[in-house]
Amino acid sequence: MSTPDSRRTEFDPAALGDREATLLVKSILIPRPIAWVGTVDDGGTANLAPHSFFTMVSEAPPIVMFSSTTRKDTLANVEATGQFTVSLVSRPQFEAANQTSAPYAVEVSEFEAAGIAPEPSAAVVPPRVADSPAVMECVLESIIPVGGNFMVLGRVVHVAVDTDTLETDARGRTLPLARKLNPLTRLGRNEWGTLGEVLAIDRPTVG
């Protein structure tokens, strides 16, 4: 076995324990996009919560994934209804998004508690965040237990994007511009991040 580089501090996750190891890994896996997940319970109460274990996992069909840490209201609602929305968290929504992570009682709507305006979705029952620049409406594909978490896979059945964020490129594709979406990301500790510098480069060819 090679000798560790003296410039590095070595960590053994088994020695740290799950909680400390998770905090360490989350501080390294940055930035993480935020899924602001909207759901409703059987009684129609709307729930809204940010999830930073979030990404796209399939192209055909388009499927996104977020992970629920333990069994929370969001997970219970998705299990009950089979639907959810994912609203993008933009910079002006920093404090509001953070507030929706508070441990409200199950009968409390985070939309109301945090003063966030909802809007009706086009293809699913759970509402969207009215001021979000982009929203994906999803139907449940599957829920997979992973360790102490639950990986929720949702097929995107509708997308709504603020028109002023869109631009048509030379190939005729109309897509949002990252700087106009102005998304927030999660970092380590209690830190969040903004988009910062945007770099663009074409994919290389061989030879």
Side-chain angles (χ1 to χ4, degrees), residues 55-157:
T55 192
M56 187 173 188
V57 296
S58 171
E59 294 181 342
I63 294 176
V64 296
M65 177 281 293
F66 74 89
S67 178
S68 175
T69 306
T70 70
R71 185 168 286 281
K72 296 182 178 179
D73 295 342
T74 297
L75 178 65
N77 292 347
V78 173
E79 287 176 325
T81 68
Q83 299 180 342
F84 61 94
T85 61
V86 176
S87 297
L88 185 75
V89 181
S90 64
R91 175 62 183 87
Q93 298 165 321
F94 174 38
E95 290 82 4
N98 183 57
Q99 186 61 43
T100 60
S101 67
Y104 291 107
V106 65
E107 67 273 11
V108 175
S109 169
E110 286 81 1
F111 282 95
E112 296 179 8
I116 299 166
E119 69 177 10
S121 294
V124 299
V125 173
R128 316 186 301 209
V129 174
D131 291 336
S132 172
V135 186
M136 293 175 285
E137 301 179 13
C138 305
V139 296
L140 178 64
E141 284 284 316
S142 61
I143 297 173
I144 303 171
V146 181
N149 288 22
F150 297 86
M151 184 169 64
V152 180
L153 302 174
R155 178 164 47 89
V156 179
V157 295

Side-chain angles (χ1 to χ4, degrees), residues 115-194:
I116 299 166
E119 69 177 10
S121 294
V124 299
V125 173
R128 316 186 301 209
V129 174
D131 291 336
S132 172
V135 186
M136 293 175 285
E137 301 179 13
C138 305
V139 296
L140 178 64
E141 284 284 316
S142 61
I143 297 173
I144 303 171
V146 181
N149 288 22
F150 297 86
M151 184 169 64
V152 180
L153 302 174
R155 178 164 47 89
V156 179
V157 295
H158 187 81
V159 179
V161 183
D162 283 2
T163 303
D164 62 3
T165 70
L166 298 172
E167 183 175 280
T168 302
D169 63 20
R171 297 183 181 181
R173 299 174 303 190
T174 300
L175 300 169
L177 293 172
R179 60 181 174 80
K180 289 190 175 182
L181 291 175
N182 195 16
L184 280 175
T185 64
R186 278 293 278 125
L187 306 176
R189 306 172 186 265
N190 64 346
E191 300 169 326
W192 299 50
T194 54

